[in-house]
Amino acid sequence: MLNLIFLGPPGAGKGTQAHRLAARFNIPQLSTGDILRKAVADGTPLGKQAKGLMDAGKLVPDELVNGIVEEALQDKAAQRGFLLDGFPRTVAQATAFDEMLARLGRRIDFVICLQVPVETLVARLSGRATCPVCQTPYHPLSNPPKRPGICDNDGAALIVRPDDAPDRVRQRLAEFENKTAVLSGYYKARGLLRGVDGVGSPDEVEGRILAVLRDRVTQGPANP
Ligand code: ADP
Ligand code: ADP
C-alpha cells in the first residue's frame, strides 16, 4: 500500500511522475485535472460547472473536487493505494481530505513536493502537448512521443490544452502561489513533506522520488 500526494506548481512534472509510478507500482493515478477535463469533454453537469474556470486558469470550487476525490478513493483499484496529482490545492481541500482519510481508515505516506524554478515551468508548459484521450503529457524536447504529434498509448492526435496559453499559465502560477503553496507548510508540520528537485530528466526525477520511497522501507512509515 502506497499513498502519495504530488504537490508542486503547474508544469513541475506531477502528471509525468505520477504516471510513471502508477505503472511501476500498479496503483491508480488520481488526477483531478484529468477527471475534470474528461467531465468537460463529456459535457456532464460537473464539466459544465468547471469549464469556464479551467479555461481561465482558475481553480474550481473545493466542494466539486472534494466530491471527485471521495468517489475515486472508493474505487476498487484505489484500495491498493493512490497517487494524487493536483489535489489538494487549497487548505480547505487538505482538511477535507484528512477527514475523508480518517473516515476510511487510511493515511498519507508522503507528500512529494516537486521543486522547479518558474522560468523552467513556463518553458515546460509552453511546449506541453497532451493526449486528449489518456491525458499523457509530452514535450518535444524532454519527453517526445515516438511519432510526432501522436500519443504512444492510443494513437490519438495530441492537443495543446487551452489553459497552457501564456496568459493562462501566468494566471495558474498566480493561483498556485496564492492558494496552493501554503500546503507545503501544512504537510511539513505533519512530518509528511519530502522536497524533491524536479529539475533534470524525467528519469532522474523519478530516481529521486524512488530514493524517498526507499527511505520509507528502511525507516518505517512516515506517519504510523
Ligand atoms: P504537471 O502535472 O505538474 O503540470 P507535467 O507532468 O504535465 O506537469 O509536465 C509539464 C510538461 O513538462 C510536460 O510537457 C512534460 O512532458 C514536461 N516534463 C515533465 N517532466 C519533465 C522533466 N523532468 N524535464 C523536462 N520536462 C518535463
Ligand atoms: P496543472 O498541474 O498542469 O496546472 P491540472 O491538470 O492539475 O493542471 O489542473 C488543470 C485545471 O483543473 C486547474 O487549473 C483547475 O482549474 C482545475 N483543477 C484541477 N485540480 C483542481 C483542484 N484540486 N482544485 C481546484 N481546481 C482544480
Side-chain angles (χ1 to χ4, degrees), residues 157-177:
L158 303 179
I159 58 154
V160 175
R161 279 171 38 181
D163 59 342
D164 279 341
D167 58 328
R168 312 296 154 76
V169 166
R170 275 194 296 278
Q171 171 68 43
R172 284 160 59 212
L173 291 170
E175 286 281 85
F176 177 82
E177 283 309 322

Side-chain angles (χ1 to χ4, degrees), residues 129-132 138 144-159:
T130 306
C131 174
Y138 295 90
K146 292 194 180 81
R147 283 187 294 155
I150 303 291
C151 178
D152 295 346
N153 303 328
D154 48 38
L158 303 179
I159 58 154

